[in-house]
Amino acid sequence: MRDTIDIWSARFERATFYLALVGAICLLAIVAIVTVGVVMRYVLGIPILGVNEFVQLTAVALIMASLPYCTAKRDHVAVDVFERILGRWGRFIGDIVAYCLSGFVMAILAQRAVLKALDALEWGDATNMLRMPIWPFYAILAAGAALCVLTFAVQLVVLIVKGAK
């Protein structure tokens, strides 16, 4: 049983890491296109059309591709304003509620993104200026949200097994 858990844990960790690499590539692409766009517009006087479309869609991919990795590493910003007031059990119950709500919202987002990706693929939806297909960005959004759901589920199980501390 332990070997099976270790295998799935390693696969999950790899999946979040590779998706984070997609996010890193998106970040580099945004930096490159904005830099080239600024140089072309202000130095050469030749603006690049569609830079905003590219940046907007790539930013969605950047965030949603990086979110599962960040969630798995617990690198989100956390504010513990009520930690002392709630006590050990209050924090425990609050964490359970937070994982459940976060997982639920991400599950809805993943489901809607999959449907929207399939719809955009079927109808050939594309951006106005660059005619970039939109479905890959919905697919990345769906993958990121789905991996976040799994991350929250695993973290919830670990929390319950460990109990309140």
Side-chain angles (χ1 to χ4, degrees), residues 79-92 165:
V79 180
D80 296 330
V81 176
F82 300 110
E83 187 170 313
R84 289 188 183 149
I85 296 170
L86 292 175
R88 189 173 105 193
W89 286 101
R91 280 192 317 268
F92 180 68
K165 37 178 171 167

Coordinates of all heavy atoms in Angstrom, one line a residue, residues 79-92 165:
V79 N -3.1 34.4 6.1 CA -3.2 35.4 7.2 C -3.9 34.7 8.4 O -5.0 34.2 8.2 CB -4.1 36.6 6.7 CG1 -4.2 37.6 7.8 CG2 -3.4 37.2 5.4
D80 N -3.2 34.7 9.5 CA -3.8 34.1 10.7 C -4.2 35.1 11.7 O -3.7 35.2 12.8 CB -2.7 33.2 11.3 CG -2.3 32.0 10.3 OD1 -3.1 31.6 9.6 OD2 -1.1 31.6 10.4
V81 N -5.2 35.9 11.3 CA -5.7 36.9 12.2 C -6.4 36.3 13.4 O -6.3 36.8 14.5 CB -6.7 37.9 11.4 CG1 -7.3 38.9 12.4 CG2 -5.9 38.5 10.3
F82 N -7.2 35.3 13.2 CA -8.0 34.7 14.2 C -7.4 33.4 14.8 O -8.1 32.7 15.6 CB -9.4 34.4 13.7 CG -10.1 35.6 13.1 CD1 -10.3 35.7 11.8 CD2 -10.6 36.5 14.0 CE1 -11.0 36.8 11.3 CE2 -11.3 37.6 13.5 CZ -11.5 37.8 12.1
E83 N -6.2 33.1 14.6 CA -5.6 31.9 15.0 C -5.6 31.7 16.5 O -6.0 30.7 17.0 CB -4.1 31.8 14.5 CG -3.5 30.5 14.8 CD -2.2 30.3 14.1 OE1 -2.1 30.6 12.9 OE2 -1.2 29.9 14.8
R84 N -5.3 32.7 17.3 CA -5.2 32.6 18.7 C -6.7 32.6 19.3 O -6.9 31.9 20.3 CB -4.5 33.8 19.3 CG -3.0 33.7 19.1 CD -2.3 34.8 19.8 NE -0.9 34.7 19.5 CZ 0.0 35.7 19.5 NH1 -0.5 36.9 19.8 NH2 1.2 35.6 19.2
I85 N -7.6 33.3 18.7 CA -9.0 33.3 19.2 C -9.6 32.0 19.0 O -10.3 31.5 19.9 CB -9.8 34.4 18.5 CG1 -9.2 35.8 18.8 CG2 -11.2 34.4 18.9 CD1 -9.7 36.9 18.0
L86 N -9.4 31.4 17.8 CA -10.1 30.1 17.5 C -9.6 28.9 18.2 O -10.3 28.0 18.5 CB -10.0 29.8 16.0 CG -10.7 30.8 15.0 CD1 -10.3 30.5 13.6 CD2 -12.2 30.7 15.2
G87 N -8.3 28.9 18.5 CA -7.7 27.8 19.2 C -7.4 26.6 18.3 O -7.6 26.7 17.1
R88 N -7.0 25.6 18.9 CA -6.5 24.4 18.1 C -7.7 23.8 17.3 O -7.5 23.6 16.1 CB -5.9 23.4 19.1 CG -5.3 22.2 18.4 CD -4.6 21.4 19.5 NE -5.4 20.2 19.6 CZ -5.3 19.3 20.6 NH1 -4.5 19.5 21.6 NH2 -6.1 18.3 20.7
W89 N -8.8 23.6 17.9 CA -9.9 22.9 17.2 C -10.6 23.9 16.2 O -11.1 23.4 15.2 CB -10.9 22.4 18.2 CG -10.4 21.1 18.8 CD1 -9.8 21.0 20.1 CD2 -10.3 19.8 18.2 NE1 -9.4 19.7 20.3 CE2 -9.7 19.0 19.2 CE3 -10.7 19.3 17.0 CZ2 -9.4 17.6 18.9 CZ3 -10.4 18.0 16.7 CH2 -9.8 17.2 17.7
G90 N -10.6 25.1 16.5 CA -11.2 26.1 15.6 C -10.4 26.2 14.3 O -10.9 26.3 13.2
R91 N -9.1 26.2 14.5 CA -8.2 26.2 13.3 C -8.4 24.9 12.5 O -8.4 25.0 11.3 CB -6.7 26.3 13.7 CG -6.3 27.7 14.1 CD -4.8 27.9 14.2 NE -4.2 26.8 14.9 CZ -3.9 26.8 16.2 NH1 -4.3 27.8 17.0 NH2 -3.4 25.7 16.8
F92 N -8.5 23.8 13.2 CA -8.6 22.5 12.5 C -9.9 22.5 11.7 O -9.9 22.2 10.5 CB -8.7 21.4 13.6 CG -8.8 20.0 13.0 CD1 -7.8 19.5 12.3 CD2 -10.0 19.3 13.3 CE1 -8.0 18.2 11.8 CE2 -10.1 18.0 12.8 CZ -9.1 17.5 12.0
K165 N -3.7 20.3 15.7 CA -2.4 20.5 16.4 C -2.4 21.9 17.0 O -3.0 22.8 16.6 CB -1.2 20.2 15.6 CG -1.2 20.6 14.2 CD 0.1 20.3 13.5 CE 0.0 20.5 12.0 NZ 1.2 20.5 11.3

